[in-house]
Amino acid sequence: AMGSIDVVPYAGLRYLTVSQEIGVDYVFSGGNESFPSREMDYSGFGLRIGTRLNVPFGASPFFFRGDLALAKMMSGDREQTISDRVTGGPVTPAPFSVTDSVKPLTIDLELFFGYKIRENMSAGIGYGYHKISEILDTRDTINPATLGTIPGAAGVGSANADLVTSGLFAEFNYKF
C-alpha cells in the first residue's frame, strides 16, 4: 500500500567464489629479474540472513530501500599457487601450492533512493558496501618456498586479509 513501510527478513544459502591473481616484477642490480605470481581460488557455501526495508515517501513516487545481509561460510577451501620465473640469476624455483580451509563472514549493505515511474517500473541510484572477511592472502611473493613468511620487508602482508568493495550504482526495475 502507498505510504506503508515494509520490513522483510529473509534467509537462504550463499555460494561464494573468489579468484585472486597477483603478479610482481622485481629488477635487481646486475640485470637479474624475478617475476613471482600468486593465484588463489576460493569456493564455499554458507547460511545467509538479512533484512530488507522499503520506505515510501508518503503519496509521492519517491522511496528508500535498504538491505543488510550477513553470511557465514560453513565450508570452503582456498587453493593457492605461487610461482616465480627468474632471469639472469639463480635457478627458477618450482611452483609451490597449498590448500587451506577458510570460513569467511560476508557483509552486504545497500542503500537505495528510487522513483516509482509506474506501478511495475522504478529507477534510482544507490550505494553498496560488500565485505568478505579474511579471504585474501596478501603476503609478499618474492620467496615462494616460504609463502612470504620471511621477517622484514619480504614478509609484508597478511595470510587472511579482508576484501572490501563499495560504490554507487544505478538501477532500473521492470516487473512483468
Side-chain angles (χ1 to χ4, degrees):
M2 188 64 80
S4 67
I5 296 173
D6 291 329
V7 178
V8 182
Y10 58 89
L13 291 177
R14 166 167 268 180
Y15 175 66
L16 177 67
T17 62
V18 177
S19 293
Q20 172 191 24
E21 292 185 23
I22 299 173
V24 182
D25 297 347
Y26 293 100
V27 178
F28 301 99
S29 60
N32 296 347
E33 295 177 308
S34 178
F35 304 96
S37 66
R38 176 189 305 271
E39 294 180 14
M40 185 277 297
D41 291 299
Y42 171 84
S43 63
F45 286 93
L47 178 64
R48 184 172 193 253
I49 59 171
T51 299
R52 185 170 299 118
L53 173 71
N54 295 300
V55 182
F57 294 146
S60 81
F62 294 99
F63 64 93
F64 170 80
R65 183 182 71 223
D67 195 331
L68 175 64
L70 303 172
K72 178 65 176 170
M73 298 299 106
M74 305 309 287
S75 68
D77 290 327
R78 179 173 64 173
E79 298 176 13
Q80 299 185 77
T81 302
I82 300 173
S83 58
D84 191 359
R85 183 172 56 84
V86 178
T87 62
V91 177
T92 297
F96 179 83
S97 295
V98 63
T99 299
D100 59 353
S101 179
V102 293
K103 297 176 175 76
L105 174 71
T106 68
I107 300 170
D108 300 301
L109 171 67
E110 290 189 351
L111 304 173
F112 182 78
F113 181 71
Y115 181 81
K116 193 173 205 174
I117 301 166
R118 294 186 192 154
E119 190 60 35
N120 65 340
M121 190 182 311
S122 65
I125 59 170
Y127 174 80
Y129 172 89
H130 308 279
K131 177 180 179 180
I132 305 171
S133 67
E134 302 182 349
I135 190 68
L136 299 178
D137 189 334
T138 61
R139 291 176 288 182
D140 192 283
T141 60
I142 195 167
N143 191 332
T146 59
L147 272 171
T149 56
I150 303 169
V156 171
S158 169
N160 296 295
D162 298 342
L163 172 63
V164 175
T165 64
S166 63
L168 297 174
F169 63 90
E171 186 174 294
F172 176 79
N173 292 298
Y174 181 82
K175 293 180 184 176
F176 292 96

